Amino acid sequence: MKKVAVLLLGSMVLTGCGSDESSDSRASSTYMGEIESVNAHADSMTVNAMALSLSSARIELNGHYVDSTELEPGMQVDVEYDDGIAYEVDIDPEIVGIATLVTESEITVNGQVFEYANIAKDLVGTNSNRVMLFGYVDQTGKWVINAIHKANFLPAEDLYEGKITSIDKENSYFNIGTMKVDYSNAGMDYEDLAELKVNAWVEVEGHFSTDFKAYDVDVEDDLDLANAEVEGYVTALNNDKTLMTLNGRTDVVITENTRFEDGIKARLKVGSRVDVDLINNAGQLQASEIEFD
């Protein structure tokens, strides 16, 4: 139940989410993926080779209004659109926080060190910029960062997401790898509290100091992605190619009815970059179509 969409090309997931119904009645389609280009003069952007007008769009990140001038290529977004017009755009970073150390190959945000290549040269040597990191978790469980953008226009609120690796419900904290999250003061409903468990993918909003003090924790439900087209990387695939994981976070069933575009099923492998049309079939997230990028 993410507030901002996710899928990650990088990150994929992992994790933001489409829904069974568009939240804007004017929009008929949902796409979750990377901004390929932005045309400030025309007030438009291109995703999945589609040019979409932004003149009628409400653009947000975690409920905060964002001006269209802040959009940049490489950002992951959840877009609700129809007939070439975007009506809602949710920016979907995996990590938001102060970059306290930036070298030529690593960036430290929220106490975590991430490797990157040639995407943050203007930040090298700085230690006070609020940044957004976009990426996905690969087959080894490591973050792959595809894009880094300054976010000094955002309020002083941090964000982190990933799979819970351990949890202590008695003391109201869990770990995402080495990141300790205190959720004792988080606004969570009964459903989310019940779903907090090891391997659950969560998005955490709050403030990082030594640990992460959460104001809000959302537990991802894969079925929230139904009826969306999602861009991402295959990070796990079973032997008979009937079950794959996108962006290290979302399990998708492949059936005999799944259609393949620009390739055949035999071509599908870990590391493939794909666009996937997702449906909810009897409570199971399935791919109706897989297109190779």
Side-chain angles (χ1 to χ4, degrees), residues 62-269:
N62 280 14
H64 302 293
Y65 172 76
V66 178
D67 191 88
S68 63
T69 57
E70 302 292 350
L71 295 178
E72 296 184 54
M75 289 182 175
Q76 301 295 317
V77 290
D78 177 353
V79 187
E80 295 183 6
Y81 68 96
D82 186 60
D83 196 25
I85 300 173
Y87 292 107
E88 290 200 8
V89 179
D90 288 318
I91 304 173
D92 184 27
E94 278 61 64
I95 296 102
V96 176
I98 300 297
T100 53
L101 179 64
V102 187
T103 70
E104 295 285 350
S105 59
E106 294 180 340
I107 184 168
T108 301
V109 181
N110 295 338
Q112 304 295 299
V113 180
F114 303 92
E115 296 178 2
Y116 72 94
N118 299 320
I119 52 176
K121 291 182 178 179
D122 61 324
L123 293 170
V124 173
T126 65
N127 62 4
S128 60
N129 285 291
R130 183 166 296 278
V131 297
M132 299 180 285
L133 274 59
F134 299 84
Y136 69 100
V137 176
D138 69 11
Q139 61 269 27
T140 69
K142 180 181 177 181
W143 276 105
V144 177
I145 302 301
N146 290 335
I148 301 172
H149 295 280
K150 290 181 181 179
N152 293 318
F153 59 89
L154 288 175
E157 184 176 87
D158 301 324
L159 180 147
Y160 197 80
E161 60 180 80
K163 281 186 178 180
I164 294 176
T165 52
S166 65
I167 187 166
D168 182 345
K169 290 192 174 183
E170 183 177 349
N171 293 300
S172 298
Y173 76 83
F174 58 79
N175 277 74
I176 304 174
T178 60
M179 172 72 80
K180 182 178 179 180
V181 178
D182 176 356
Y183 65 93
S184 58
N185 293 313
M188 299 182 67
D189 58 27
Y190 177 80
E191 180 182 358
D192 274 351
L193 282 170
E195 291 175 348
L196 278 183
K197 58 185 178 182
V198 171
N199 289 327
W201 188 280
V202 292
E203 179 188 84
V204 184
E205 298 173 47
H207 176 69
F208 176 78
S209 51
T210 303
D211 298 327
F212 201 108
K213 305 294 185 183
Y215 308 149
D216 187 61
V217 179
D218 284 323
V219 182
E220 180 179 271
D221 181 350
D222 287 352
L223 290 177
D224 286 344
L225 296 172
N227 300 329
E229 181 179 357
V230 174
E231 179 183 56
Y233 289 94
V234 178
T235 53
L237 184 67
N238 66 356
N239 289 334
D240 57 2
K241 301 188 178 183
T242 57
L243 180 67
M244 67 178 177
T245 302
L246 286 176
N247 300 319
R249 61 192 294 176
T250 305
D251 291 334
V252 179
V253 173
I254 303 166
T255 73
E256 59 184 10
N257 296 318
T258 301
R259 302 181 303 276
F260 288 84
E261 293 287 336
D262 297 328
I264 60 176
K265 186 176 182 179
R267 180 182 165 189
L268 193 66
K269 61 182 180 180

